[in-house]
Amino acid sequence: MSRPVCPQCQYPVNACLCDSIRQLSTRVELIVLQHPSEVSHAKNSVKLMQAVMGEQLRLVVGETPEDFADLREYLAAQSRPVCLLYPSETSQPLEASVQHHDTILLLLDGTWRKAYKLLQLNPWLLEFTGVHLDLDAPSKYTIRKAKRDDSLSTLEAAALAIETLEPGCDVSPLHDALAALVEKRLAAMPAAVRQRYEPK
């Protein structure tokens, strides 16, 4: 049997994060293209983003161009700039490429391998300006290991992007919710397992 889920934050009742959820309001439009393998992943940070951002966050799950047909139609009708947040040899720093919050930002949610696969299967994404974040601190999402030093969770990347495009926006609701999630996950782990994730 599956564990009962809190109807508000969508996390298991025994790991409810409602006390740590504060709503975030931003003028930046964020659209997350999520690989299907992430939907049921217990450490998926996009579910937490949804709890904090509500309807301000648009989530589209898929893998092929057909899966994103409605999204492509929506983007084609926009007069605002659309940027793809994904580091590559041709991407530019976000702060140098985009000067205003009136931007649609596309994020790919998945492991590096899955995100790269999304990009390869959807060459239409390359029509948009490619941007990346200049990182000055490692990810705080320590309970999910990444193979690259420049890895951020999708939530952290979104928070940094919003902060860059809309400097007056308070993104602490995202950071605080993530910190609460990490704290609860670590507290629930056996001591021997917890040691693997805590800072050395």
Side-chain angles (χ1 to χ4, degrees), residues 185-198:
R185 291 278 183 178
L186 289 175
M189 292 177 183
V193 177
R194 186 164 58 245
Q195 288 178 355
R196 301 178 203 162
Y197 295 95
E198 292 177 331

Side-chain angles (χ1 to χ4, degrees), residues 98-118:
V98 184
Q99 305 296 328
H100 198 264
H101 58 73
D102 191 22
T103 300
I104 299 175
L105 203 57
L106 305 177
L107 297 92
L108 305 182
D109 183 57
T111 61
W112 279 111
R113 186 170 64 85
K114 296 294 187 183
Y116 180 72
K117 184 178 181 181
L118 274 178

